[in-house]
Amino acid sequence: MKKIFTTLLICAGLMSSCDSLLDIDPEFTQDAENFFNTEEDFQRALIGAYDLMQTAYLQIFIGEIASDNSIAGGESVTDTQGLHEIDNMTHGGVNAELRDVMRFNYTGIARVNYIFEFQDKLDFQGKNQLLAQAHFLRAYYYFTLVTYFGDMPLIVDRRISLSEISRSERTPKEQIYAQIESDLAIAIEVLPWVQPEVGRITKGASMALLGKVLLYQEKFSEAASVLDELINTNQAGYGLFADYSTMFYVINENVNEDVFTIQYSGQQGGDYGCYVCLQGNLAVGFHGIRQYNGPFYGDGNSYNLPTRNLYDAFSPNDPRREATLLDIDAFIASLPNSGNITYARGGGGHTGFYNNKYIKRLDERGLPDDDLTSPLNYRAIRYADVLLMAAEAFARTGNDGRARTELNKVRERVGMPAINSSGQALVEDILQERRLELSGEGYRFFDLVRTGKAAENIQGFQVGKHELFPIPQVEIDLAGGNWRQNPGY
């Protein structure tokens, strides 16, 4: 009998999440077909579908480490080896982190599909709002999969039986994008600008994600239209948070800049045996300073270390440089008791810099193990990103004036001079601004790939191969060899 006490029947034969989200009491007593009997059942299932977004730590890791922004770091080159392979562009079909990306996102999709499979079983007030959130979640999970792997099996509104696994095929990414756009259109139509519960998906988050989806497909006119409506309508009161230097502190979460934010909690402890079981943001502790003994910061695991190349990309008078990158030696030297402050360098590499946006601070630690349980939220799309996406979409459709307007809002917030370029030079300025504004947040690799700039910026990048990550070999095997591997792997 199929149970829902831990997971909700994932599709395509992929491994399931080990996260116990639905908190069914008593456990082991309810089969899938007899679950959706109350509104509470639907709400529990939706919470379970939301939960897989907490694996966004992989986005922060891979989106930076695969690019020129960061190196893998860590204890050694064999500790979390998959990240080092991605860093060196030597990754292949056997890679634990890439397999996690696939199985976690398919688990999220399966949980959403489970809701839709039984959506007609019960009516209740607010059901359309619940389903609209589920539409967004499915779009988010499929968008992650298609940007990592390209063509993938597309399953909607139903579970997949074990007998179907060996017959499943990879769906062309164009069809997946069409489904993503359809799901987001429903979410935009139904959801409110502001939700009564913080962290629930809103109309603005749905519009922002749709704008991003369209931009990634080079549908620039459509992206410009969606993002223009978001900026001009903006009934949620989005804006640029005044103090960039403290924006990524816990005390400044869920502010006007937050359009689509993944919420974390530091109130539930965790251990290294099951990362997907955590309710905290493990990236924060992993980014921490190894064996650090000093003020303000907590110690951590020294992963995802920013590069000198990124540091040098900033103007010395750009306040975002210090807010984004912690120059550890300069920081220690600036303190009155610097001789008493120590830290260690990991065997996985050392650059002298740490990700200062998502880093463990002494007064922001969660319950033990606090390497894994930070309450610091992940800003999946913030308003500055919306403005820069809009600027790019306008520039690529010939509306340079509007593009400069949105670009310079972002620069003005941090006291940087206005940019007055036009044409292709303006596009290049916008892409550079994306790096300066958003570095450390997991976007850089995908920006380089979608704009055709990866080979010139990433050492070891092979055109025609590394635009996509390889399909995990174990999933190809589970599908009976029916899935073709991505080119070059």
Side-chain angles (χ1 to χ4, degrees):
M1 182 178 292
K2 298 178 177 69
K3 306 292 185 183
I4 60 172
F5 59 92
T6 305
T7 61
L8 291 175
L9 296 173
I10 68 166
C11 54
L14 301 173
M15 293 293 292
S16 65
S17 159
C18 60
D19 202 1
S20 180
L21 242 295
L22 299 185
D23 193 25
I24 304 298
D25 293 320
E27 292 186 336
F28 312 111
T29 60
Q30 195 160 22
D31 66 86
E33 280 64 27
N34 293 317
F35 176 60
F36 288 102
N37 296 316
T38 67
E39 178 184 351
E40 183 182 8
D41 290 344
F42 277 90
Q43 293 291 353
R44 288 179 173 183
L46 182 64
I47 291 170
Y50 264 98
D51 189 63
L52 271 297
M53 288 201 300
Q54 295 190 57
T55 62
Y57 67 85
L58 288 165
Q59 179 76 9
I60 306 176
F61 286 171
I62 296 173
E64 296 295 310
I65 290 168
S67 78
D68 51 348
N69 274 0
S70 294
I71 68 169
E75 182 176 354
S76 70
V77 295
T78 57
D79 184 32
T80 319
Q81 184 173 343
L83 293 179
H84 286 275
E85 293 170 351
I86 292 169
D87 185 7
N88 296 321
M89 290 288 126
T90 59
H91 49 278
V94 180
N95 184 291
E97 283 64 44
L98 294 176
R99 191 186 182 205
D100 281 347
V101 171
M102 180 172 288
R103 63 180 183 154
F104 291 163
N105 283 279
Y106 263 123
T107 300
I109 291 166
R111 293 183 177 189
V112 172
N113 283 342
Y114 181 56
I115 295 171
F116 284 121
E117 183 176 347
F118 291 92
Q119 63 182 307
D120 296 327
K121 187 175 181 182
L122 181 72
D123 285 324
F124 52 88
Q125 186 175 4
K127 178 181 167 184
N128 64 331
Q129 294 281 326
L130 182 148
L131 294 177
Q133 294 173 65
H135 278 289
F136 176 96
L137 294 174
R138 183 164 62 191
Y140 171 78
Y141 294 131
Y142 267 125
F143 181 57
T144 301
L145 288 171
V146 77
T147 54
Y148 273 81
F149 303 111
D151 301 347
M152 293 300 299
L154 176 64
I155 302 104
V156 295
D157 296 352
R158 66 180 183 88
R159 291 164 290 174
I160 185 170
S161 67
L162 294 176
S163 63
E164 290 181 84
I165 294 172
S166 62
R167 303 196 306 271
S168 65
E169 296 182 355
R170 296 176 65 185
T171 305
K173 64 181 182 181
E174 292 79 12
Q175 294 181 34
I176 301 175
Y177 272 121
Q179 179 62 47
I180 292 169
E181 291 180 34
S182 175
D183 278 331
L184 291 175
I186 294 171
I188 292 168
E189 178 68 23
V190 174
L191 292 176
W193 284 96
V194 177
Q195 289 277 17
E197 184 177 8
V198 173
R200 295 273 185 176
I201 297 303
T202 63
K203 181 188 293 289
S206 305
M207 295 174 73
L209 183 57
L210 179 58
K212 185 173 185 177
V213 167
L214 295 168
L215 198 67
Y216 272 52
Q217 296 176 82
E218 299 186 353
K219 295 181 177 180
F220 299 122
S221 294
E222 295 176 55
S225 178
V226 170
L227 295 167
D228 176 64
E229 182 181 357
L230 173 56
I231 293 167
N232 287 325
T233 307
N234 191 8
Q235 294 182 25
Y238 300 127
L240 296 173
F241 186 70
D243 186 5
Y244 193 95
S245 67
T246 63
M247 180 166 57
F248 285 85
Y249 291 10
V250 168
I251 59 173
N252 290 326
E253 291 184 334
N254 299 314
V255 294
N256 59 336
E257 184 132 353
D258 295 324
V259 178
F260 167 32
T261 300
I262 295 172
Q263 306 286 317
Y264 289 97
S265 170
Q267 297 304 305
Q268 177 178 310
D271 62 53
Y272 286 85
C274 181
Y275 291 161
V276 76
C277 302
L278 306 173
Q279 302 303 309
N281 186 346
L282 74 81
V284 173
F286 269 58
H287 292 167
I289 309 160
R290 182 169 292 273
Q291 297 177 24
Y292 176 75
N293 182 20
F296 193 72
Y297 295 102
D299 71 325
N301 299 318
S302 66
Y303 280 87
N304 197 5
L305 302 174
T307 62
R308 168 64 66 170
N309 178 284
L310 175 58
Y311 181 86
D312 291 342
F314 287 90
S315 169
N317 62 336
D318 189 335
R320 293 175 296 189
R321 184 175 72 175
E322 184 175 344
T324 301
L325 300 97
L326 170 63
D327 182 337
I328 183 61
D329 292 330
F331 171 73
I332 291 174
S334 71
L335 298 173
N337 60 337
S338 58
N340 298 324
I341 300 171
T342 59
Y343 74 95
R345 299 183 177 189
H350 181 71
T351 65
F353 303 106
Y354 293 82
N355 186 328
N356 210 17
K357 291 180 176 177
Y358 294 102
I359 192 170
K360 190 200 295 185
R361 301 179 180 92
L362 286 175
D363 62 350
E364 297 179 346
R365 292 175 296 176
L367 294 173
D369 183 320
D370 63 20
D371 279 350
L372 307 175
T373 56
S374 169
L376 187 61
N377 292 341
Y378 175 54
R379 290 176 158 108
I381 302 179
R382 52 190 177 88
Y383 194 60
D385 191 6
V386 170
L387 296 177
L388 292 174
M389 288 192 293
E392 182 182 347
F394 285 123
R396 292 187 184 275
T397 53
N399 191 345
D400 287 358
R402 181 64 187 281
R404 285 191 293 267
T405 295
E406 306 309 332
L407 167 63
N408 287 323
K409 288 178 185 177
V410 176
R411 292 180 62 80
E412 181 182 11
R413 188 256 297 270
V414 290
M416 298 303 292
I419 286 176
N420 297 308
S421 56
S422 59
Q424 185 58 35
L426 177 57
V427 172
E428 297 299 326
D429 286 336
I430 293 167
L431 296 179
Q432 176 66 2
E433 196 69 20
R434 287 189 62 80
R435 187 185 193 193
L436 301 177
E437 176 69 25
L438 303 171
S439 54
E441 301 178 42
Y443 311 123
R444 175 65 173 172
F445 175 75
F446 303 99
D447 275 348
L448 289 174
V449 167
R450 70 179 179 82
T451 58
K453 295 181 176 296
E456 64 190 75
N457 289 283
I458 302 173
Q459 185 175 2
F461 187 96
Q462 297 179 35
V463 175
K465 176 181 179 179
H466 288 131
E467 291 85 355
L468 296 174
F469 291 102
I471 303 295
Q473 184 60 46
V474 65
E475 312 302 350
I476 294 176
D477 295 340
L478 286 169
N482 202 33
W483 298 356
R484 289 177 290 104
Q485 181 57 276
N486 281 330
Y489 293 104

